[in-house]
Amino acid sequence: MSILPEKRYAVIGAGNIGRILLERLRNAGVPSAHLVVCDSDTERASAAAERYGVRAAALHDEVVCQADVWLVATSPASVADVVKALAGAMQPGQIVVSFAAAVPVSRLEALVPDGVSVLRVMPNAPSLVGQGMNPVVYGTSVTPDVRALVEAVLAILGDSIEVSDDLVNWCVG
């Protein structure tokens, strides 16, 4: 039995990756009540919410802050600002998964409180149809339970492979 439906997710960014995450999580049995989407473009967030039957919310809404897993699918230029903005609401045990290129795990870990797990994933085009090979960088606070949950999330995009943060940008090709 999958552990995915038991957790609450906030998909931050309703672009291609965010929408694919919403679709694949719903297809994996995650209840719509466990999913929320937010985007700086509220119309895009509302359209994604309607399409996937989930709730749209602003970044600081309580439902976003209570997520077990934040799937940050924003542009690389805004990912650090988003994580910084959420940091005050973060609690130990929550998980931040960044899908942004060029933002090292160490930079993101410096922005979050102790006990918050941070990961970085570099999805590729085949991930959009569940056939990707997704390099993942696990931060220093990742526990075996967090790893198992993230592996289940990544499985909806295809396969994954652990790489070091200094090599992940080479994995895009």
Side-chain angles (χ1 to χ4, degrees):
M1 182 162 148
S2 174
I3 59 175
L4 293 177
E6 301 170 10
K7 301 297 181 182
R8 294 166 297 162
Y9 304 87
V11 176
I12 302 170
N16 288 337
I17 294 171
R19 288 191 316 272
I20 290 300
L21 289 165
L22 289 168
E23 178 181 328
R24 299 228 175 269
L25 286 166
R26 290 291 289 133
N27 290 344
V30 175
S32 60
H34 288 205
L35 285 163
V36 62
V37 61
C38 58
D39 194 287
S40 57
D41 180 338
T42 56
E43 287 181 23
R44 184 163 59 176
S46 294
E50 185 176 329
R51 179 174 181 178
Y52 300 107
V54 302
R55 180 175 170 185
L59 189 60
H60 287 74
D61 284 359
E62 185 176 345
V63 69
V64 174
C65 296
Q66 292 177 344
D68 298 305
V69 182
W70 283 302
L71 300 166
V72 184
T74 63
S75 70
S78 62
V79 70
D81 290 338
V82 166
V83 171
K84 194 181 306 181
L86 289 168
M90 291 180 182
Q91 301 295 317
Q94 289 177 308
I95 304 164
V96 176
V97 180
S98 170
F99 290 86
V103 183
V105 164
S106 59
R107 179 165 180 221
L108 298 175
E109 284 183 313
L111 300 174
V112 303
D114 289 343
V116 173
S117 297
V118 179
L119 302 97
R120 180 176 173 207
V121 179
M122 291 290 294
N124 54 27
S127 300
L128 301 177
V129 293
Q131 298 297 314
M133 176 52 78
N134 301 283
V136 58
V137 179
Y138 293 96
T140 58
S141 296
V142 173
T143 65
D145 287 342
V146 169
R147 184 181 286 261
L149 174 59
V150 170
E151 287 173 354
V153 170
L154 293 179
I156 67 175
L157 300 175
D159 292 324
S160 62
I161 184 170
E162 183 176 358
V163 297
S164 62
D165 211 12
D166 61 327
L167 297 178
V168 72
N169 289 334
W170 290 98
C171 296
V172 237

